[in-house]
Every structure is written in structure tokens, then in C-alpha cells.
Amino acid sequence: MPIYLDNNRLTRPDEQVVEAMKPFLGANFHDPYAPYTQANLSRRAFGDAMDKIYAGIHAAKDDEVIITSGDAESNNWLFNYIYTRQILTGQRTSIILSERESDTITAAAAFLESQGVKVFRLPVNSHGVVDAQDLLDYITPRTALVSVTMVDDESGAVQPIEELAEICAQYEVPFHTDATQAVGRIPVDVQRAPITYLTFSAHTFHGPVGVGGLYIRQGAAIEPMLMGHPQTMHARRAGTLNLPGVVGMGKAMEIAIDALEFEMEDVREMRDGLEEKIRTLPDVQIFTPTSLRAPHVVTFAVRGVAAAALVLELNRSAIAAASSVLYPEGHWQRTPLTDAVGADADLRHSVITLSLSRMNTEEEMDEVFAALEESIGLLRDESPVYPQTAEVEA
């Protein structure tokens, strides 16, 4: 059977999520904002789903969670607002983000930079983690936004969000975090820190694709990106609501929170067992200590082996793995992980990410390691680079 270890990209929808969505893909198709009684079931389902979503991130009832099509839309919406309403108006002058943000954020920041906006990038240390005190070197009362992802989507490094948000609050600067890789994997609580904006997407916690949210703390400003339909989403985002998606996301959020202890203990134990075996392989470097990493991720570089070739070999064994080097040139407008953490430059094209989920099993991890060991051995035997590298190190 295929083994899926690319859960940072996309998770398999939970069967309970699929079942929860089904009634609203057929007879119960009504718009929850419609005034007639036929829409009552839709209204109740929408309200129930939103309650679960608010509870999942501990949002207060006076905060807003606007339903979007996912993290890409949420992030672009926020950066567009910051540019048009904060920077072009002269109220603020710059933004700050980490050098390891997701591609939707780095692409939005690159656009702002092309328009003359100052963009400062916080470095990460050798573990892939931002030092919150470095923020003090860049932040001023004229900073328009600080944005740092909660969990690095490649290394799994968990960032010090609470400390960063507290510093921003002292300067009265809005703080944003993309929690796409965090929800359902680690606790996400917007009440524990003065987070102004937070984005998330159902596709990473076993919900449907194409639906997510933008959390906005009470009192924080944002302009509508899609105008019209003033009754929809507090007039923040026009368009007929994707009710099946919202219901699915609400159910997925509920299950994810109920399963959080399993994710943080059992999935971590499964990941650690695989990682322990990977560490026995020669010339393999694992990034970010487990104590600083989300429980479902192991990212490593295999010296002398091209990541693209290893991903292909694993695919032949029906194992889905990921590597950032497989994206088209220029797609990732962020510092490569190896450069960011100060690893050897020749490892840049050898980085592999395995991201687990609660749907994986211990038996699968045994198969994965066996396939890794065999594939790495095969590729190194055929490599003109690895023997030379090994000789130099010897």
C-alpha cells in the first residue's frame, strides 16, 4: 500500500469530515444567509462550524474569523491591506518577516519590495529558530507589520511567537503569524499572546481543500478584499459562502483538537522512532532538535545524494516524500534551509522532508526506513560525488 509522508503539503481528509460535508453537497444546499426557513439547517450548521473553528484557536467571540479559500488568499489579503492602507498612505514605512517564511508570504513581500517598500528579514539560528531579541534591531513605531510563521513548513521548527508578539505590542505594531503548519499539530491559542492576525488552512489538518481562515483580533483593522454582499462575513469578504467547506473545516478542527494529545505524543513517538533509525545512516544531517520542532516532521540532508533522485526512488517504493529543491527555480523566494542554518553549501540540493500524520502507522515507518536505506545506498553507489566527498572527510 502507498505510504504518504507529505502531510505538510496536504493531508488526507478524515472520513468523519467527508461524512459531515455530504448533506450540504446535496439537498441541504441552501445559503445560510438566506431569509427563508429552508435555509435553517444551513444556518445551524454554519454557526456550529464557526463555533468549532473559534474554539480551535481560542478566539474570543468579539474577534473575527473570516472564511477564505486558504492560507494563500489570507496572506495575500493581509499584505495587500498593509500595502494599500498603511504604507501607501504614509502611516507606516516597512515590514519585517523571518527569512524562512512560506512562499505566499515571501512572494507578497517581494512584490512590496519591488514597489519600494523596506522589507527586513529576521535570521534564524543554527536550529532554524528566530531569536526574538533580533526583532528589536529592526522594529520601530513606523513598522507596518511583523510576520513570522508559527511552524516552518520544511524544518518543522517552532518559532517563539509569544515573545515576538509581545515585542510588537510594546511598539504598537501589528503581528501576524501563518499557523498553517501548526493547527492540529501543536496548541494554537491566540489568547496566550497579542497576535493581531493569524492565518490557517483546513487542508493541513485533515479537512477539505480550498477553505481556510483569517483571524482578526478585536479592534484590528482590515479592508475588504472582495466587495459586495454586505451580509457575508461581516462585509469583509463577498461571495456565496462555501458551506460544505466550512462545515468540513469545523469538523476537522474539532477532531484535530480532540486528537492533539495523540499528535503530540503518539505521532511524535512514531516520528522519533523513524528518526532514530535515520541517524544510524552515514553522512546524514538532521535539522532542528526535536525539542524545538513540531512533532510530525523530520527533515534531513543526505550527503552525496540529490534530493530529487531520492524522492524518485522512494516514489518507486510507493512512498510520498517532499523536498523544497523540487520546486521550479525562483519559486521559493526565501533563504534555503541549509544556508539559513549555516550547513554546508553542498547539502543544499540534498534536503528531504518527511511529514507524518495520525493516519500513519509504526509498520509504515519500518518500511520507510528500509526503503531509505536501500535507496541511499543505491544512489551513493552510482554517485560520482559521494566517494570523493567521503575521501576528503576521511
Side-chain angles (χ1 to χ4, degrees), residues 286-305:
I286 294 177
F287 300 98
T288 305
T290 55
S291 61
L292 301 175
R293 198 186 331 145
H296 69 295
V297 178
V298 55
T299 296
F300 55 97
V302 183
R303 189 177 296 278
V305 173

Side-chain angles (χ1 to χ4, degrees), residues 125-358:
N125 61 23
S126 60
H127 299 321
V129 178
V130 168
D131 184 340
Q133 293 304 303
D134 284 346
L135 178 57
L136 295 172
D137 294 336
Y138 299 94
I139 195 169
T140 75
R142 297 271 283 164
T143 302
L145 182 72
V146 174
S147 180
V148 177
T149 190
M150 193 171 288
V151 173
D152 188 299
D153 63 358
E154 186 177 9
S155 71
V158 180
Q159 303 300 337
I161 297 304
E162 293 180 27
E163 295 176 67
L164 294 165
E166 290 290 351
I167 291 172
C168 289
Q170 293 170 20
Y171 282 81
E172 297 184 345
V173 170
F175 178 75
H176 165 252
T177 185
D178 185 336
T180 301
Q181 300 299 339
V183 174
R185 277 89 180 249
I186 63 173
V188 175
D189 187 346
V190 295
Q191 300 304 320
R192 292 185 59 182
I195 295 169
T196 317
Y197 306 100
L198 179 144
T199 56
F200 57 93
S201 198
H203 73 273
T204 55
F205 52 93
H206 302 285
V209 174
V211 62
L214 173 63
Y215 161 83
I216 307 167
R217 184 174 291 274
Q218 182 187 17
I222 195 165
E223 294 287 328
M225 183 175 67
L226 301 176
M227 290 173 280
H229 293 201
Q231 77 277 15
T232 305
M233 291 281 101
H234 311 284
R236 302 283 203 183
R237 183 183 186 271
T240 303
L241 192 71
N242 174 12
L243 181 60
V246 177
V247 169
M249 180 163 65
K251 186 63 177 178
M253 183 73 83
E254 179 183 49
I255 296 169
I257 300 310
D258 287 345
L260 190 57
E261 185 176 345
F262 183 89
E263 291 275 353
M264 297 187 68
E265 295 182 7
D266 295 69
V267 173
R268 180 187 294 276
E269 184 177 347
M270 185 164 49
R271 186 275 313 271
D272 288 351
L274 174 61
E275 184 170 323
E276 186 176 346
K277 293 177 181 178
I278 292 173
R279 289 183 184 276
T280 66
L281 299 173
D283 291 327
V284 170
Q285 178 174 340
I286 294 177
F287 300 98
T288 305
T290 55
S291 61
L292 301 175
R293 198 186 331 145
H296 69 295
V297 178
V298 55
T299 296
F300 55 97
V302 183
R303 189 177 296 278
V305 173
L310 182 52
V311 168
L312 180 60
E313 284 298 319
L314 292 174
N315 182 60
R316 288 172 176 161
S317 299
I319 297 169
S323 176
S324 64
V325 303
L326 297 180
Y327 286 86
E329 187 68 27
H331 180 77
W332 291 92
Q333 300 179 50
R334 65 176 178 183
T335 305
L337 180 60
T338 50
D339 295 2
V341 302
D344 291 348
D346 61 356
L347 295 178
R348 179 184 289 185
H349 300 291
S350 302
V351 179
I352 296 288
T353 297
L354 304 178
S355 48
L356 287 64
S357 83
R358 64 177 183 263

